[in-house]
Amino acid sequence: MALLMFAAVCCAAPVGNAISAYVALEAGAQDDGGIAAGGSAADIPPRMLTAYKKAVQQVGTHVPKCQGMRWPILAGIAKVESDHAIGRDISAGGDIRPKIYGVLLNGSGAGGNTTALPDTDNGRWDGTATGERAVGPFQFLPSTWESIGEDGNGDKVADPHNADDAALGAAVYLCGSGRDLTRQSQLRQAIWQYNRSSAYVADVLGWIDQYTQAAKDPNLKNLSGRVRTVIEAALSQRGVPYSWGGGTANGPSYGICCSPGGRSGTTVKGFDCSGLTVYAYARAGISLPRTAAAQAGAGRRIPARLGAGALEPGDLVFYAYAPGRNSTIYHVGIYTGGGQMINAARPGTVVRLDAVTAMSGYAGGARLL
């Protein structure tokens, strides 16, 4: 019964060599070193993404010996510290309102604080003279901001509640006296300095990896017609949560209960793997069956024995417990080229770009376009 449910709704493989969950994004058109003026992001507001990229360009002025600063590093910190200030208004100049304040660090235990910190700014940045609390999207203590705060937007004020200033301050802080952040040991050291917690370091590094992978968008320049329509439709849903049984031809939907691991989709609006393919192909006027196993019977089958090199952009990619037996297919993605696919992997993840090898039991593909 568990196996039947597993195949019927479309779910995750055994963890194996699967890539960890990550939220992908689309930064908009830009040059290699340029700043995105807009674009969309699955979980980063465009104005915050611009601030991160601007800080990378500016940090060398303040820490000339710093190497390897990249916007995914700043995004990883900001994701954990403030979720990119999501829910706040961010002005064209970068001011974030309402301001973001952490808990009052008075030793009460709230928010994990056990040591009382005296006020250092008379409430200038943290809004209270009764103690100290972290501020802004990068959650700096006023005392730390006093030593590393920089003006990133050119208004001659270094304000931790401004996206550009805060991102530049974070870049300066992480660079230290001139770290080489291309070295994993020095990157870890920089994040540890930010928050002396092994769990925190691991969390931030995970997000950095996720954003780094997400920045590698597939090249759609040579694709046209319905192939491009399908891939662009699927890419537009990156960052949408996985929902067991979720997704229709019209978009994300609440799912059902429950996955073999006991995860319910009833409170999650999103897609499972076959729900995502149903949605993307519907944009090109193609109606697919709802389950991964049934979708293997659509279009021209590409045998697993030919390898992933036989896949073309827009093809469905299948995974099975027993490759060669369509009835055991448990998962489907959409191939984008370059060994990647758009994937709704498993509960707890989001729609993302993955390597075709991220799931186990490669079972070939199907070509519908």
Side-chain angles (χ1 to χ4, degrees):
M1 181 65 179
L3 178 59
L4 178 62
M5 176 65 81
F6 214 78
V9 182
C10 171
C11 156
V15 174
N17 66 340
I19 294 174
S20 60
Y22 64 87
V23 178
L25 55 84
E26 183 178 2
Q30 59 192 63
D31 296 326
D32 287 342
I35 299 170
S40 62
D43 84 322
I44 303 179
R47 185 60 184 84
M48 292 300 293
L49 184 59
T50 296
Y52 306 154
K53 293 183 176 183
K54 184 186 293 186
V56 171
Q57 291 191 342
Q58 295 174 328
V59 70
T61 301
H62 304 276
V63 190
K65 294 182 179 181
C66 185
Q67 299 180 57
M69 177 55 70
R70 302 175 289 118
W71 70 258
I73 296 174
L74 298 175
I77 295 285
K79 173 65 179 180
V80 175
E81 295 292 345
S82 71
D83 197 20
H84 306 299
I86 289 174
R88 262 69 176 185
D89 291 326
I90 309 171
S91 72
D95 291 330
I96 299 170
R97 298 295 183 270
K99 297 177 180 179
I100 302 172
Y101 296 115
V103 298
L104 186 64
L105 300 176
N106 56 7
S108 67
N113 87 91
T114 56
T115 303
L117 297 181
D119 175 66
T120 63
D121 68 335
N122 199 31
R124 180 186 182 192
W125 299 123
D126 63 6
T128 177
T130 62
E132 200 88 327
R133 55 183 179 176
V135 297
F138 284 87
Q139 288 291 278
F140 282 111
L141 291 175
S143 56
T144 303
W145 184 253
E146 184 66 26
S147 63
I148 57 90
E150 299 291 350
D151 171 23
N153 67 346
D155 66 358
K156 303 189 185 305
V157 177
D159 181 351
H161 297 286
N162 178 275
D164 296 331
D165 297 357
L168 180 55
V172 169
Y173 188 62
L174 291 165
C175 280
S177 59
R179 290 190 176 99
D180 181 355
L181 299 176
T182 64
R183 298 189 177 188
Q184 189 76 353
S185 61
Q186 295 194 33
L187 178 59
R188 284 181 173 274
Q189 183 183 54
I191 300 168
W192 175 265
Q193 172 186 291
Y194 213 98
N195 187 323
R196 290 172 171 79
S197 159
S198 296
Y200 179 89
V201 172
D203 196 9
V204 171
L205 284 173
W207 284 108
I208 292 172
D209 288 344
Q210 294 159 20
Y211 289 128
T212 299
Q213 290 299 319
K216 300 174 182 178
D217 276 352
N219 185 352
L220 306 183
K221 291 181 180 179
N222 296 323
L223 302 181
S224 60
R226 294 195 296 173
V227 171
R228 184 163 185 163
T229 296
V230 167
I231 292 177
E232 287 183 339
L235 288 172
S236 74
Q237 300 304 307
R238 284 181 296 178
V240 173
Y242 183 102
S243 175
W244 179 262
T248 71
N250 296 319
S253 70
Y254 289 100
I256 62 175
C257 185
C258 284
S259 74
R263 300 290 290 271
S264 174
T266 57
T267 61
V268 181
K269 189 175 184 179
F271 293 100
D272 66 13
C273 65
S274 55
L276 178 64
T277 55
V278 164
Y279 167 77
Y281 275 85
R283 304 280 71 73
I286 296 174
S287 178
L288 287 179
R290 181 57 181 81
T291 68
Q295 289 175 9
R300 180 167 66 85
R301 200 73 163 85
I302 303 167
R305 59 181 170 75
L306 298 179
L311 296 172
E312 294 181 1
D315 288 346
L316 294 174
V317 189
F318 298 108
Y319 301 84
Y321 296 114
R325 294 173 55 195
N326 282 358
S327 62
T328 70
I329 287 175
Y330 69 86
H331 194 80
V332 62
I334 301 174
Y335 189 66
T336 63
Q340 291 188 307
M341 64 178 173
I342 309 164
N343 192 25
R346 60 183 59 83
T349 69
V350 295
V351 177
R352 66 200 193 189
L353 274 174
D354 269 346
V356 170
T357 55
M359 312 298 291
S360 61
Y362 175 68
R367 186 162 300 150
L368 292 87
L369 300 166

